[in-house]
């Protein structure tokens, strides 16, 4: 396997931190580049009676973009092992955004965490990691929330 570009999908959760740690360790082993991707989920717009978007939508978006950048910087500072990191942050739904960013960046591997939910919640909500694994053009490593590094 020729791992030169590893895309690590992160959000503000412990399972994505485990994925980031694992992804950076793999990158270090293979001498690969890393991109961190954080997807900003679209917020339903409030429509005013005059058919304009409510200003709160724009403020929320600006805040989300700023929060996304802060998250990516924190993850890099905590786990990068000195590996230079590209930041990717877009507005999209999670699974589609991760796959699209992977394709555009040309990654050889996607590393993503999962909560490992089952039953009714999984049936109703689906799994972003599962969707990415099914639709991705490159291999996907799913790091479960229960994963503990033994090193």
């Amino acid at each position: 396997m020729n791992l030169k570009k590893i895309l690590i999908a992160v959000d503000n959760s412990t399972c994505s931190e485990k994925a980031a740690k694992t992804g950076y360790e793999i990158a270090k082993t293979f001498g690969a580049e890393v991109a961190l991707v954080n997807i900003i989920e679209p917020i339903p717009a409030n429509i005013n009676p005059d058919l304009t978007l409510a200003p709160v939508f724009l403020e929320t978006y600006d805040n989300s973009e700023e929060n996304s950048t802060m998250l990516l910087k924190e993850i890099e500072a905590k786990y990068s092992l000195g590996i230079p990191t590209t930041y990717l942050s877009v507005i999209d739904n999670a699974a589609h955004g991760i796959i699209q960013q992977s394709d555009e960046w040309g990654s050889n591997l996607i590393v993503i965490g999962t909560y490992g939910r089952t039953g009714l919640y999984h049936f109703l909500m689906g799994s972003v990691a599962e969707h990415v694994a099914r639709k991705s053009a490159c291999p996907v490593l799913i790091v479960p929330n229960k994963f503990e590094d033994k090193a």
Side-chain angles (χ1 to χ4, degrees):
M1 183 177 267
N2 186 18
L3 295 179
K4 293 294 175 199
K5 296 179 99 175
I6 299 174
L7 181 88
I8 305 170
V10 296
D11 59 16
N12 209 356
S13 68
T14 57
C15 60
S16 82
E17 287 202 25
K18 290 177 181 181
K21 184 176 188 293
T22 302
Y24 275 114
E25 288 170 354
I26 293 169
K28 185 99 171 159
T29 300
F30 286 90
E33 295 178 54
V34 169
L36 290 176
V37 62
N38 178 249
I39 306 302
I40 302 168
E41 298 259 11
I43 298 167
N46 294 330
I47 305 294
N48 290 328
D50 62 353
L51 300 179
T52 60
L53 291 179
V56 70
F57 175 75
L58 296 176
E59 289 172 15
T60 304
Y61 167 71
D62 289 342
N63 186 38
S64 294
E65 191 173 35
E66 184 179 308
N67 290 341
S68 180
T69 302
M70 284 176 39
L71 172 69
L72 297 176
K73 286 179 180 180
E74 287 172 15
I75 295 286
E76 179 187 21
K78 195 169 182 180
Y79 299 107
S80 73
L81 305 170
I83 298 169
T85 302
T86 300
Y87 296 160
L88 304 171
S89 183
V90 295
I91 297 177
D92 203 338
N93 76 51
H96 182 266
I98 292 166
I99 293 166
Q100 184 173 14
Q101 291 304 301
S102 174
D103 291 346
E104 288 178 11
W105 191 65
S107 62
N108 307 113
L109 176 70
I110 298 172
V111 180
I112 187 169
T114 183
Y115 289 99
R117 293 186 174 114
T118 58
L120 184 59
Y121 182 87
H122 180 78
F123 175 74
L124 294 174
M125 300 305 292
S127 165
V128 171
E130 184 179 322
H131 185 84
V132 169
R134 276 186 285 149
K135 301 290 184 178
S136 174
C138 70
V140 177
L141 174 63
I142 299 173
V143 179
N145 193 33
K146 295 177 184 176
F147 177 72
E148 288 297 327
D149 188 14
K150 305 293 185 211

